[in-house]
Amino acid sequence: DIPDEPDERARLYRSRLAGRRVLVLLDNARDGEQVRPLLPGDPGCVAVVTSRDALAGLVAADGARRLDLDVLLPADAVGLLRALIGRPADEDPAATTELAGLCARLPLALRIAAELAAARPATPLRDLVAELAAGRLDALNAGEELADVRAVFSWSLRQLSRDVARAFALLGLHPGADLDVYAAAALTGTTPARARLALSRLHRTGLIQASGRGRYRMHDLLRAYAREQAVAAEQEGAAGTDVSCEQALTQLFDYYLAAAAAAAEVLFPAEPHQRARTTTAAAVTPEMPGEAEARAWLDAERANLVAVVVSSAGHGWPQPATMMARTLFRYLMTGSHLPEAHTIYDHALNAARRSGDLAAEAEALNGLGGIEMVKGHFADAAGHYRDALESYRRCGDRPGEARVLHNLGVTEHYVHNHGAAASHYRQAIAAYDDAGDRLGAAVALCGLAGVETEMDSLDQASDHLQRALPVFRDEKDQAREANALAQLGDLSLRRDQLAQAADFHEQALAMFRRIDHPGGVAAGLSSLGEVSVRRGDYQQAIGYLRQALAQFRQAGNQHGEAATIFSLAAALHGAGQPAAARTELEAALLLASETGNTYQQASAHRDLAESYCSAGEDEQARHHWQQAVDLYTQLGAPEADQLRSQPIPRSG
């Protein structure tokens, strides 16, 4: 009674469903054409279709409603394992959570893992976790095709054309969490237009997931499977294997280097950036016509750029790691991306040392010094800088020598070794002049002006700042222009010109906000707080300083945080809150101790001595006074003699 022709069968099928209420389940559909004859026409019937394909045709032509299923939520994945495994999962919740992650929270993988655990009840769950970590796809096999993760993945792969399947395999080589069409084009050695088509097809098939606008990711199990396919195709010399794994990664690293250099040149046009030398003409970079687009690209790709450095350094390709470190320095430091910067420069240093690249080693050491300096770890920073200086001198790099001499000046400046700081700054200016670096010399002049301000050589400091400002404006270096304006504000404050100081600091703060410089914004708020303290407007000062503290903490700038706490304590004292001020000073002392900033420790003890003396707590006051004297003496700071000339704090 079953007709031979498919159209006649479909008519008979629909006639049998007429007038009934039937739920039709069509599982694992290849595409819309395969299931369209089986869609019931009666309004009382509903069809549920599952597929690895998005089935866009059914949505567009047949009124289907699509429900995209992602992997399970972390809590649901753990809950499924606990339900399937039972007591062992409850006894070792950490192993259960790790097991869920290793299964990429895929229901099939979770069920296979649970079955393996149930089959070996005497084996600790931790051992299964170790097995999966060592070889996930091999372990996730329950002995038949329907329960083998690798086999199930292969079903989706069979639906793809050769080019799209090859693109899937190469995408698995990407070291980061996600990628866009330009990175996909670089990996596959094709154009962005063709890469976009491949990504779209892979997304419809469920082999990649959308992670944002124009961005895609793979979960870990699919990534492992894709890498297997890439390596296997290369080893077998499969037809169409026109891009080897090494060539694909080289093209990817070249792309990221070229795009990062282009973005850095837009953001920091005054500084020379080493353009990445691409080995293929296929590395097309996105357009970055302005600062907003350049910064947005770097922000979106920051994790991938870190992954590129880690991957290239780990695979014996030092050049991408060291060149990326050099290219990203200003972006990472001005944006306070310290964890990423540390990872990049640590791996770049190891790569440079393995390859014997002395110049790259010096660059990485200089970068690590900058990170430690921002954190307030000045002894560690100085150690990195001295090592970098030796490397620069050994390879005859005068511009590099100038940069690190300047940085040593900043380090000595922060710990108030004014003589050493001024000497380093002057050496840096001479080295910059030798190298013909007008901008670098202007930056070092500002550093020298800062020392002169603190030593009350105010006319010299003003002259140096006025010489530096036009250079920054000519070079369109807004970050350094803002720093110079802030220094003029500090100088005005030193001269007790409060209105002028506030004006300079407000200009600097507005510029820092415009260029999205978190550290500069924090410093600007802190400086306006100091001006408000001097004006006696303590409530306004407290507001500025608490905002600055939040910014410094978010940026991980512990030196700035401690310095701001001192100003906040002064504001709280002025506002009649001495107990709150002492609490802040104790926090500053703890922070300075953690970072090893002896000068700030001494200053905290000095201010605590004065506070406890005012409160009539003589014993505490004497303790902190003696600690301050000892630490200032250890540093050779003039404050030691100033304190000795005063009587030991005593109430009344």
Side-chain angles (χ1 to χ4, degrees):
D1 293 337
I2 299 176
D4 293 331
E5 294 299 321
D7 290 345
E8 294 179 13
R9 289 186 182 188
R11 281 193 290 271
L12 177 60
Y13 166 72
R14 291 194 176 97
S15 69
R16 295 296 177 91
L17 295 179
R20 300 186 182 186
R21 294 177 56 80
V22 177
L23 174 65
V24 179
L25 175 61
L26 304 171
D27 186 44
N28 201 16
R30 182 186 65 244
D31 53 32
E33 286 302 314
Q34 187 184 36
V35 296
R36 189 167 280 112
L38 298 173
L39 299 178
D42 194 281
C45 298
V46 173
V48 174
V49 185
T50 71
S51 179
R52 289 169 176 78
D53 189 271
L55 302 180
L58 290 185
V59 175
D62 299 277
R65 287 179 293 173
R66 187 170 62 232
L67 176 63
D68 293 316
L69 298 182
D70 203 343
V71 297
L72 294 179
L73 295 172
D76 293 336
V78 170
L80 179 58
L81 285 176
R82 292 178 63 190
L84 294 171
I85 297 173
R87 183 173 53 82
D90 294 330
E91 290 176 348
D92 195 343
T96 305
T97 300
E98 192 172 349
L99 186 60
L102 288 169
C103 292
R105 308 200 308 274
L106 282 172
L108 173 63
L110 292 165
R111 286 188 168 275
I112 294 173
E115 178 61 29
L116 294 173
R120 298 180 296 177
T123 303
L125 199 58
R126 178 63 54 184
D127 290 356
L128 177 58
V129 169
E131 285 182 34
L132 283 176
R136 283 189 242 185
L137 292 175
D138 290 330
L140 291 173
N141 182 351
E144 56 184 81
E145 190 177 31
L146 286 173
D148 178 354
V149 168
R150 188 185 277 111
V152 171
F153 289 163
S154 73
W155 300 344
S156 295
L157 200 61
R158 291 172 199 163
Q159 300 179 34
L160 304 176
S161 68
R162 187 193 67 189
D163 288 346
V164 176
R166 183 61 179 154
F168 166 74
L170 292 173
L171 294 181
L173 301 175
H174 192 282
D178 67 355
L179 81 171
D180 66 1
V181 66
Y182 292 96
L187 257 178
T188 56
T190 186
T191 64
R194 292 183 64 185
R196 185 175 287 107
L197 290 174
L199 290 171
S200 177
R201 181 70 181 112
L202 290 170
H203 182 234
R204 290 201 311 271
T205 311
L207 288 169
I208 60 174
Q209 295 82 44
S211 60
R213 186 176 179 181
R215 304 189 70 83
Y216 298 92
R217 61 180 172 83
M218 286 182 184
H219 61 66
D220 289 345
L221 292 179
L222 271 171
R223 185 186 300 275
Y225 179 68
R227 286 175 177 166
E228 280 188 359
Q229 296 300 304
V231 172
E234 186 173 58
Q235 290 174 345
E236 295 168 6
T241 310
D242 51 348
V243 180
S244 69
C245 294
E246 181 175 344
Q247 183 182 352
L249 285 173
T250 299
Q251 291 168 175
L252 180 72
F253 295 164
D254 281 347
Y255 157 70
Y256 277 124
L257 275 168
E265 286 174 355
V266 172
L267 290 175
F268 312 109
E271 293 191 0
H273 293 281
Q274 184 165 341
R275 267 281 186 183
R277 295 186 182 91
T278 58
T279 59
T280 173
V284 180
T285 60
E287 292 184 8
M288 302 180 207
E291 291 186 5
E293 293 84 358
R295 184 171 284 107
W297 186 89
L298 286 167
D299 289 344
E301 299 293 351
R302 187 165 62 245
N304 282 331
L305 299 177
V306 174
V308 164
V309 171
V310 173
S311 178
S312 61
H315 287 84
W317 299 346
Q319 190 178 40
T322 56
M323 289 176 67
M324 188 70 79
R326 178 181 302 177
T327 300
L328 293 177
F329 180 76
R330 280 294 302 281
Y331 163 72
L332 293 170
M333 300 310 291
T334 59
S336 298
H337 306 301
L338 300 187
E340 294 94 334
H342 193 276
T343 299
I344 284 175
Y345 286 102
D346 192 44
H347 281 81
L349 177 61
N350 292 333
R353 283 175 170 166
R354 282 197 298 269
S355 64
D357 188 337
L358 201 59
E361 179 180 337
E363 291 280 351
L365 286 165
N366 193 31
L368 288 169
I371 296 164
E372 296 302 329
M373 187 163 61
V374 170
K375 290 179 176 178
H377 302 162
F378 298 116
D380 293 336
H384 288 309
Y385 287 144
R386 283 191 289 271
D387 290 343
L389 183 60
E390 181 182 349
S391 295
Y392 280 130
R393 284 175 171 164
R394 283 172 59 196
C395 61
D397 187 339
R398 189 67 167 152
E401 188 179 342
R403 289 196 302 275
V404 81
L405 283 167
H406 172 259
N407 291 336
L408 278 167
V410 176
T411 305
E412 296 293 353
H413 189 173
Y414 274 146
V415 295
H416 293 256
N417 291 335
H418 292 137
S423 174
H424 284 306
Y425 283 135
R426 291 190 181 101
Q427 291 179 64
I429 292 167
Y432 278 127
D433 286 340
D434 289 346
D437 188 343
R438 180 169 171 257
L439 176 64
V443 175
L445 270 176
C446 287
L448 183 58
V451 173
E452 291 164 342
T453 298
E454 293 183 19
M455 297 176 72
D456 282 326
S457 298
L458 303 184
D459 290 340
Q460 280 181 285
S462 178
D463 177 63
H464 288 150
L465 289 170
Q466 295 297 342
R467 284 169 55 191
L469 257 177
V471 177
F472 300 144
R473 286 169 177 160
D474 289 346
E475 299 289 349
K476 296 182 173 54
D477 192 328
Q478 295 184 72
R480 283 167 175 151
E481 180 184 348
N483 275 321
L485 290 169
Q487 284 189 257
L488 285 168
D490 293 339
L491 194 151
S492 298
L493 189 62
R494 200 92 174 185
R495 287 172 165 163
D496 209 30
Q497 298 169 338
L498 301 186
Q500 191 175 55
D503 181 57
F504 278 127
H505 283 303
E506 283 167 359
Q507 289 182 58
L509 178 60
M511 191 169 289
F512 281 130
R513 280 180 166 149
R514 187 163 61 249
I515 62 175
D516 191 22
H517 191 312
V521 170
L525 290 166
S526 183
S527 296
L528 285 171
E530 291 182 44
V531 173
S532 297
V533 169
R534 292 280 292 275
R535 282 174 162 169
D537 192 345
Y538 299 115
Q539 291 305 320
Q540 184 181 57
I542 290 168
Y544 277 132
L545 294 166
R546 290 205 184 282
Q547 289 180 65
L549 268 180
Q551 291 265 2
F552 277 129
R553 284 168 180 158
Q554 184 176 356
N557 188 330
Q558 293 173 303
H559 174 72
E561 180 183 349
T564 300
I565 291 175
F566 284 110
S567 298
L568 178 59
L572 290 167
H573 264 299
Q577 303 175 48
R582 281 195 295 277
T583 298
E584 295 295 343
L585 288 171
E586 293 285 0
L589 177 59
L590 177 62
L591 188 58
S593 301
E594 289 175 351
T595 60
N597 190 325
T598 307
Y599 187 89
Q600 285 185 336
Q601 291 177 57
S603 299
H605 282 299
R606 178 200 61 200
D607 291 356
L608 281 166
E610 294 176 0
S611 180
Y612 279 115
C613 181
S614 299
E617 299 185 38
D618 293 350
E619 185 175 348
Q620 285 276 40
R622 282 194 294 274
H623 164 74
H624 286 292
W625 181 88
Q626 189 61 57
Q627 290 290 318
V629 169
D630 291 345
L631 290 171
Y632 280 135
T633 301
Q634 176 184 326
L635 291 169
E639 286 89 343
D641 291 335
Q642 293 169 12
L643 280 177
R644 288 194 191 94
S645 68
Q646 301 170 2
I648 296 176
R650 193 182 306 278
S651 61

